[in-house]
Amino acid sequence: MDSNRLLAPPTIHTSSHPADSSNSDVEDLTPSPSSAVDHSPSSLQVPISPTAKSLGGETLRSRAESFNSTAETTRSRANSFNSKAETTRSRGNSLVTTVRSRFEGDDWTTEEALRPDKTNLKDFEVDNSPFAFSPGQLNKTLNPKSLAAFKALGGIYGLEYGLQTDLVAGLSVDETSIPGKVSFDEATSPTRSQKPLEARRIIAQDVIVTDRQVQGQFHDRKRVFNDNRLPAKKAISIWQLFWNAYNDRVLMILTIAAVISLALGIYEAVGQPPEEGEGASVDWVEGLAIMVAVVIVVLVTGLNDYRREKQFTALNAKKDDRQVKAIRSGKSVMISVFDVMVGDILHLESGDAIPADGILVSGHGVRCDESSATGESDAMKKTAGSEAWQRIVEGTATSKLDPFIISGSKVLEGVGTYLVTSVGVNSSFGKIMMGLQTENEETPLQAKLSKMANWIGALGTSAAGLLFFVLLFRFLAGLPNNTESPARKGQIFLDILIVAITIIVVAVPEGLPVAVTLALSFATKRMFKENNLVRHLRACETMGNATTICSDKTGTLTQNKMTVVAGLLGTQVNFARDMEMNDEEKSVLTLASAFGKLSPVTRNLLLQSVAINSTAFEGEEDGKATYLGSKTETALLTMAKEYLGMGPVAEERAGVEVVQLFPFDSDRKCMGVVIRLASGSYRLLVKGAAEIMLAHATQELSDISGVSLDTVVLSESASMLVSANIENFATQSLRTIAMLYRDFPQWPPVEVQTLEEDRSMAVFEDVFDDMVFLGVVGIQDPLRDGVAYSVKRCQDAGIVVRMVTGDNLTTASAIAVQCGIKTEKGLVMEGPKFRQLSDEDMDSILPNLQVLARSSPDDKRILVSRLKHLGETVAVTGDGTNDGPALKMADVGFSMGIAGTEVAKEASAIILMDDNFSSIVKAVMWGRSVNDAVSKFLQFQLTVNITAVILAFISAVSSPDMHSVLSAVQLLWVNLIMDTFAALALATDAPTEKILDRKPAPKRAALITTNMWKMIIGQAIYQLIVTFVLYFAGYNILGYNEQCSIQDIGQRYQNECEFLTGLAFETCQIEHCNDALRTQLNTMVFNTFVWMQIFNEFNNRRLDNKFNIFEGVLRNQFFIGINCIMVGGQIMIIFVGGTAFQITRIDGPQWAVCVLCALPCLFWAVLLRCIPDKYAATVFGFAARVWLAGARPTIRVLALLFRPVVRGWRQLSKYVFAPTSRFSRRTAGKIFKKKATEEEKPHSKGAAAATADVEAGDSSETKEMASPTASPQQAPPPITLTTAT
């Protein structure tokens, strides 16, 4: 029973007994303020209807409020020792005169208790409300916790009547608009504080109530109280995204330079007459082209960001939605947390994250952790609203009473139901979360790549700065002999500046973090389709490098479809569903025959052990009636229904009075319940792990067919026989559950320890002894299909799979062998022994430890801690509340989407929607795919960066006119290819099974591997050689003459000559024809360079040394489509780019030269892959040492020379760019700000009031409640109330 869902105890209907004045422990001598009306809970009718943990039956009343019980109660209603005032009590003839107890606000009037705060007046004003209370009045109960407000609202029954709901049946699924109206006075009037008995609906147990959607369902409730959603966080508009894309300092400087260049060009073309023999100046085209290119870059980047934001918004909506259990029309149903309404009755059980504020209706042992909401670190014990109201009516209430349920808190233990009073922005958690809506997190890989981008950008900026000063010095040196006009000189200077700035644009790899985001958004979307809901993006990339997986057994490796298939009744009667389990030496009966031997009294005892001592309940799933809860318990209930004649669970529990519950505890591996028998004695029923139960049994039934429950001592031989059966069941991979009982004459028994907070409750360990053995069952949970294959794939991928389970050693080992987890040399150990080992001993056995049986959540946490200490990247699964620490500690925590508690889901990074181990393997594949996508893009971009910067630098320095072979507009096109198109293409390759054929990367592995450096440097060398040969030797290789004549030019170059000069061909000068040839050659260099990047993109689809770079390319439609765009864009630029790109059209042979020069980079990559990585590492290491030896002195000199420049730049940034940027941001914010009306945003009024409440609380407790606003890390992730789409 390793599922912590058993922590929630059952809720049992109590039987009605007449009051016995002789047994009355107390008699209140204080006159009741409303004596005319019977407010005692005993006047309530409790119909049979399923509740949270009530196995389809009644809500459980705690011992203190067991109003239909005749059990002797030894505790008064107000015997709190630290109470400021005592109650008046009489015991026999002894009269003790005391003072009436008080609580804060006890003497307040209704107006004082419900007085609005100045910050939330609008919450108290609701038009045409059919309800007695406004959202503001309901909030007064929790702002801060106020019994005075609770009293002013008429208590739990006033709330029930005023909200037009039912504390038992909940809301009706057919409710739409509410025709009648309840006034405040009617709801709070003593005569109407409780619904009459005939008004309560009782739904028959055989009626199936579905959570169907009714048109206009809960229309009035939504209008008055809103639904359980936070207003959508204001989405960044596409215009704001465009502005953010443009809000880059380098792009702004480039824009300014382009504007100046355009202005000078227009001045030259319009204001300056052309020189003789020359046409009108067309220099203005470059400035315009740069501006257009910047606009295109901004548009593409903004659209890309917009698409990414949409994807993450949709993902967050899915991530934060969850199902909660509610009672509607008298039946338990699962509803979305967003659909919770004020007036709903919700179930509470251990591990739940509370979705809305409310008042506890009924429950047992409910304790909540409210630290995230109020800052209170202690577990808060909750009192039922009916008891709190009774105490208020009697005048015995104290400030210690706490019936208030606060949203955002967690249920630590207990079970119950509560009435929802505030949802959405009106709830406590909603108000806090309104101030905590944060941006998407930055993953570790994004942070690493941002640092690398800064480092690469710094090198590129240094190269651009060096180029600028070299060209500037050349320009200044040539000024004395320069006869150009001042405008022309200014244009030359701007050309130098523009080229340098453009190199910075190309060199800064701002696409690296974007590539991670694109890969993550693509991966998380696809992972959701494969049943992995990623809550934290960092988990996606981390999972790719996981080295060990610590997996639960139940539901993860197995199907969690449990069935009782074998067992032992008493110590003699064996039974099995499958007769193949028959042992030849023993007689094994069928289940029907075995249970047929039971006498009525024994059958009733067994039925009590199954039905009463259980947390499962009747409900529906997929429209069919079934049992809901722990699969172990549902298997037992199914057995009882089929072979013990059990009727509806609610009827079995009706008339049984539960005195105390012992929730399932993962340490003691059992759970129990104490019931009061008709004879007045008490019976303790316990069930749990078979071998642990057997160790506490000292007696057995003498005859299971006998008319009475006679017991005998459990002999050693009988104990060994039972132990052998348990071992036999375990070897067949069966979970073994044993049942014990013991009768007591009174409760709590004499001389046993009791709980400090309630002396009527015994300590379990003191009564769990000398038990009577009743029987043991073997429960089968088949393995999931394909789990053995998935385990094998993980092991092939270098991931060690360990099974951590609560089952006994034999069962765990048998299942581990079936899964392929347990090997011959593998070690199996029990949790109690494991936790006793020293750290050194743990570290020595961990490499061989494969199964940890009988483990507790603390054992799992210790295991994760030691594995991380050894440098492992650990993934762990968990479903219980106590698994939270281990899930948090692990590198990647997986919670169960079906069987997991909300606390476990909150602590995890990924939720397995199907609880299937195979989905973890999918997560590993996608995690590796994300890392591979980033590495592919990094390899591609660094190749382009190195080639483009070096080519532009050398060509500009060597050119007589100081022009780079790649113009500014061409470089911007290359930058667009690098930062957007390639990122989209390389980030969308879906993983294949082959991605699991390699070992995981170590935690400290370098971003750029040796193989990547080999491909980057090798491809850069090839591309530089090809482009330099074309640029410097192209004339001779292609047959162009340096000194061309008019006759040699011919008609072929007539168009180019006329275009460049603006004159007729006959008057065209020779130098202009040479310019035409140079333009064609530069066009070929540019075209060849771009085609090499397109072909090299295919090379980068593989990161290993295998040759098939086209594997799976047809399955990636993104890759094919983006490459078509790139090819089409390049062809269009060559044909129509013209002066804007400073190119000209080229003919077929020239196109062939370009493509044939670029295509060999594919074959060059094959040669590079043939070079062993170890040789490449040796060469790179030697080259790095040589480079550093020469670079360090150079860097020192450059640092000394450029220090004044850096200081000047900082001053310029401080006093010019920073104010300009602030002004532009403020202006853009005003322009792009959306002004929503009340009709467009119905939640805006509530949101504003909620924010004001948090910011201007008027008490210390309010400040405590709002404290997470100041410290966001203290607030839990928004798992309950979230941004709705």
Side-chain angles (χ1 to χ4, degrees), residues 738-767:
M739 289 166 282
L740 313 176
Y741 83 97
R742 180 182 175 185
D743 290 338
F744 294 89
Q746 69 179 58
W747 195 265
V750 180
E751 297 182 355
V752 301
Q753 295 186 52
T754 57
L755 302 179
E756 291 184 5
E757 64 271 18
D758 191 344
R759 295 301 178 182
S760 66
M761 302 295 176
V763 174
F764 179 75
E765 286 71 20
D766 281 13
V767 296

Side-chain angles (χ1 to χ4, degrees), residues 83-94:
S83 177
K84 295 180 180 179
E86 301 175 355
T87 58
T88 304
R89 299 290 172 187
S90 171
R91 184 180 300 273
N93 295 324
S94 174

Side-chain angles (χ1 to χ4, degrees), residues 1107-1172:
F1107 299 146
N1108 187 6
I1109 60 176
F1110 300 103
E1111 182 179 2
V1113 69
L1114 296 179
R1115 293 194 297 268
N1116 189 345
Q1117 303 299 323
F1118 269 104
F1119 187 89
I1120 296 174
I1122 290 169
N1123 275 275
C1124 290
I1125 293 174
M1126 292 166 59
V1127 170
Q1130 181 63 19
I1131 293 174
M1132 184 178 68
I1133 287 171
I1134 296 300
F1135 277 95
V1136 301
T1139 306
F1141 281 81
Q1142 297 183 12
I1143 58 175
T1144 186
R1145 292 188 182 185
I1146 54 178
D1147 56 20
Q1150 292 169 324
W1151 267 100
V1153 170
C1154 296
V1155 174
L1156 291 177
C1157 286
L1159 187 61
C1161 73
L1162 297 176
F1163 307 107
W1164 178 247
V1166 174
L1167 295 177
L1168 291 175
R1169 288 189 166 95
C1170 292
I1171 301 175

Side-chain angles (χ1 to χ4, degrees), residues 32 98 147 177 186 262 267 328 364 399 425 481 586 665 740 742 790 805 837 840 892 910 1106 1119 1195-1196 1208 1283:
S32 172
T98 59
L147 283 174
S177 297
E186 288 176 335
L262 176 62
Y267 173 74
R328 288 185 175 174
H364 185 89
S399 58
V425 295
N481 300 322
K586 296 185 294 185
D665 186 274
L740 313 176
R742 180 182 175 185
S790 298
T805 179
L837 297 176
E840 293 75 14
V892 181
I910 298 176
K1106 296 181 180 179
F1119 187 89
I1195 292 174
R1196 292 192 185 99
T1283 297

Side-chain angles (χ1 to χ4, degrees), residues 20 276-278 314 424 636 644 657 679 683 788 846 939 1206 1209:
D20 187 353
E276 186 178 353
E278 293 186 359
L636 292 172
L644 294 177
E657 180 187 343
S679 62
R683 176 168 292 165
L846 280 179
Q939 180 174 300
V1206 172
W1209 176 260

